[in-house]
Amino acid sequence: MYRLRIESDFDAAHKLVGHEGKCAELHGHTWKVEVFVVGQKLNDIGVLVDFNMLEERLNKIIERLDHKFLNDIKEIGNPTCENISKYIFENLKDLPNNAKLEKVRVWEGEKGWCEYYEA
Ligand SMILES: [Zn+2]
Protein backbone atom coordinates (compact mmCIF):
# COMPACT_ATOMS: atom_id res chain seq x y z
CA MET A 1 0.00 0.00 0.00
CA TYR A 2 0.99 3.60 -0.52
CA ARG A 3 -0.03 6.57 1.60
CA LEU A 4 0.53 10.20 0.82
CA ARG A 5 -0.31 13.32 2.71
CA ILE A 6 -0.78 16.98 1.95
CA GLU A 7 -1.53 19.83 4.28
CA SER A 8 -3.02 23.28 4.19
CA ASP A 9 -4.51 25.70 6.67
CA PHE A 10 -7.04 28.46 6.99
CA ASP A 11 -8.14 31.13 9.44
CA ALA A 12 -11.78 31.52 10.33
CA ALA A 13 -14.22 32.44 13.06
CA HIS A 14 -16.92 30.35 14.63
CA LYS A 15 -19.03 29.84 17.71
CA LEU A 16 -20.32 26.52 18.91
CA VAL A 17 -24.07 26.60 19.30
CA GLY A 18 -25.15 24.84 22.47
CA HIS A 19 -21.66 24.67 23.97
CA GLU A 20 -21.75 25.21 27.73
CA GLY A 21 -18.48 27.10 27.91
CA LYS A 22 -16.53 29.88 26.28
CA CYS A 23 -16.61 28.16 22.87
CA ALA A 24 -20.19 29.42 22.57
CA GLU A 25 -18.73 32.92 22.15
CA LEU A 26 -17.48 34.24 18.83
CA HIS A 27 -13.78 33.45 18.41
CA GLY A 28 -11.29 32.35 15.78
CA HIS A 29 -8.66 29.74 15.07
CA THR A 30 -6.05 28.77 12.57
CA TRP A 31 -7.12 25.35 11.42
CA LYS A 32 -4.48 23.08 9.94
CA VAL A 33 -5.84 20.48 7.54
CA GLU A 34 -4.07 17.22 6.74
CA VAL A 35 -5.32 14.97 3.95
CA PHE A 36 -4.28 11.32 3.70
CA VAL A 37 -4.71 9.29 0.53
CA VAL A 38 -4.02 5.58 0.24
CA GLY A 39 -3.97 3.09 -2.57
CA GLN A 40 -2.35 -0.04 -3.89
CA LYS A 41 -2.05 0.63 -7.61
CA LEU A 42 0.01 3.34 -9.21
CA ASN A 43 -0.70 4.79 -12.62
CA ASP A 44 1.56 4.10 -15.58
CA ILE A 45 4.11 6.72 -14.50
CA GLY A 46 4.28 5.45 -10.92
CA VAL A 47 1.97 7.97 -9.25
CA LEU A 48 -0.84 7.17 -6.79
CA VAL A 49 -2.43 10.60 -7.03
CA ASP A 50 -0.99 13.81 -8.40
CA PHE A 51 0.06 16.17 -5.59
CA ASN A 52 -0.83 19.28 -7.60
CA MET A 53 -4.29 18.01 -8.48
CA LEU A 54 -4.94 17.07 -4.86
CA GLU A 55 -3.72 20.45 -3.60
CA GLU A 56 -5.88 22.29 -6.11
CA ARG A 57 -8.95 20.37 -5.00
CA LEU A 58 -8.20 20.95 -1.35
CA ASN A 59 -7.53 24.64 -1.93
CA LYS A 60 -10.92 25.07 -3.61
CA ILE A 61 -12.57 23.75 -0.46
CA ILE A 62 -10.30 25.81 1.80
CA GLU A 63 -11.21 28.96 -0.13
CA ARG A 64 -14.82 28.51 0.96
CA LEU A 65 -13.70 28.48 4.61
CA ASP A 66 -10.76 30.89 4.82
CA HIS A 67 -11.55 34.17 6.61
CA LYS A 68 -15.20 33.21 6.86
CA PHE A 69 -17.66 32.92 9.72
CA LEU A 70 -18.13 29.17 9.60
CA ASN A 71 -21.60 29.26 11.16
CA ASP A 72 -22.77 30.87 7.89
CA ILE A 73 -21.86 27.73 5.90
CA LYS A 74 -24.99 25.67 6.35
CA GLU A 75 -23.51 22.48 4.88
CA ILE A 76 -21.12 22.22 7.82
CA GLY A 77 -23.78 22.37 10.50
CA ASN A 78 -22.53 23.39 13.92
CA PRO A 79 -18.90 24.20 13.03
CA THR A 80 -17.14 21.84 15.41
CA CYS A 81 -13.78 20.36 14.52
CA GLU A 82 -15.67 17.09 13.87
CA ASN A 83 -18.12 18.63 11.42
CA ILE A 84 -15.42 20.61 9.63
CA SER A 85 -13.33 17.48 9.07
CA LYS A 86 -16.36 15.63 7.72
CA TYR A 87 -17.25 18.55 5.44
CA ILE A 88 -13.77 18.58 3.91
CA PHE A 89 -13.78 14.78 3.57
CA GLU A 90 -17.15 14.69 1.82
CA ASN A 91 -16.13 17.40 -0.64
CA LEU A 92 -12.79 15.78 -1.43
CA LYS A 93 -13.52 12.08 -1.47
CA ASP A 94 -14.03 11.48 -5.19
CA LEU A 95 -10.51 10.80 -6.37
CA PRO A 96 -9.33 9.43 -9.71
CA ASN A 97 -7.83 6.03 -10.40
CA ASN A 98 -7.44 3.72 -7.47
CA ALA A 99 -6.69 6.41 -4.91
CA LYS A 100 -8.84 6.37 -1.80
CA LEU A 101 -9.24 9.28 0.58
CA GLU A 102 -8.22 7.65 3.87
CA LYS A 103 -8.94 10.47 6.28
CA VAL A 104 -9.00 14.19 6.84
CA ARG A 105 -7.40 15.52 10.03
CA VAL A 106 -8.29 19.01 11.17
CA TRP A 107 -6.32 20.77 13.88
CA GLU A 108 -8.17 23.34 15.94
CA GLY A 109 -5.21 25.41 17.06
CA GLU A 110 -2.06 23.46 17.89
CA LYS A 111 -3.19 21.23 20.71
CA GLY A 112 -6.02 19.15 19.38
CA TRP A 113 -7.27 17.59 16.21
CA CYS A 114 -10.15 15.52 14.91
CA GLU A 115 -10.07 13.01 12.08
CA TYR A 116 -12.93 11.97 9.87
CA TYR A 117 -12.75 8.74 7.90
CA GLU A 118 -15.10 6.09 6.58
CA ALA A 119 -14.70 2.75 8.27
ZN1 LIG B 1 -13.30 27.23 18.53
Side-chain angles (χ1 to χ4, degrees), residues 56-108:
E56 277 174 25
R57 289 193 186 196
L58 178 61
N59 285 338
K60 278 185 185 157
I61 299 166
I62 297 286
E63 275 173 24
R64 295 180 220 152
L65 308 177
D66 191 33
H67 286 73
K68 295 293 193 302
F69 177 45
L70 299 180
N71 295 67
D72 286 342
I73 304 173
K74 299 301 172 207
E75 294 86 352
I76 296 177
N78 204 19
T80 59
C81 199
E82 290 85 342
N83 281 336
I84 294 166
S85 59
K86 184 179 183 191
Y87 173 82
I88 295 171
F89 186 99
E90 294 291 343
N91 282 277
L92 195 63
K93 69 179 178 183
D94 293 320
L95 296 174
N97 304 324
N98 300 298
K100 179 180 186 293
L101 181 57
E102 181 188 28
K103 62 188 176 185
V104 170
R105 179 184 294 160
V106 174
W107 291 76
E108 189 167 287

Side-chain angles (χ1 to χ4, degrees), residues 14 23 27 29 31 108:
H14 75 165
C23 292
H27 64 283
H29 298 281
W31 277 272
E108 189 167 287

Side-chain angles (χ1 to χ4, degrees), residues 2 6 14 23 33 35 44 49 54 60 73:
Y2 301 93
I6 61 167
H14 75 165
C23 292
V33 179
V35 168
D44 55 4
V49 65
L54 195 58
K60 278 185 185 157
I73 304 173

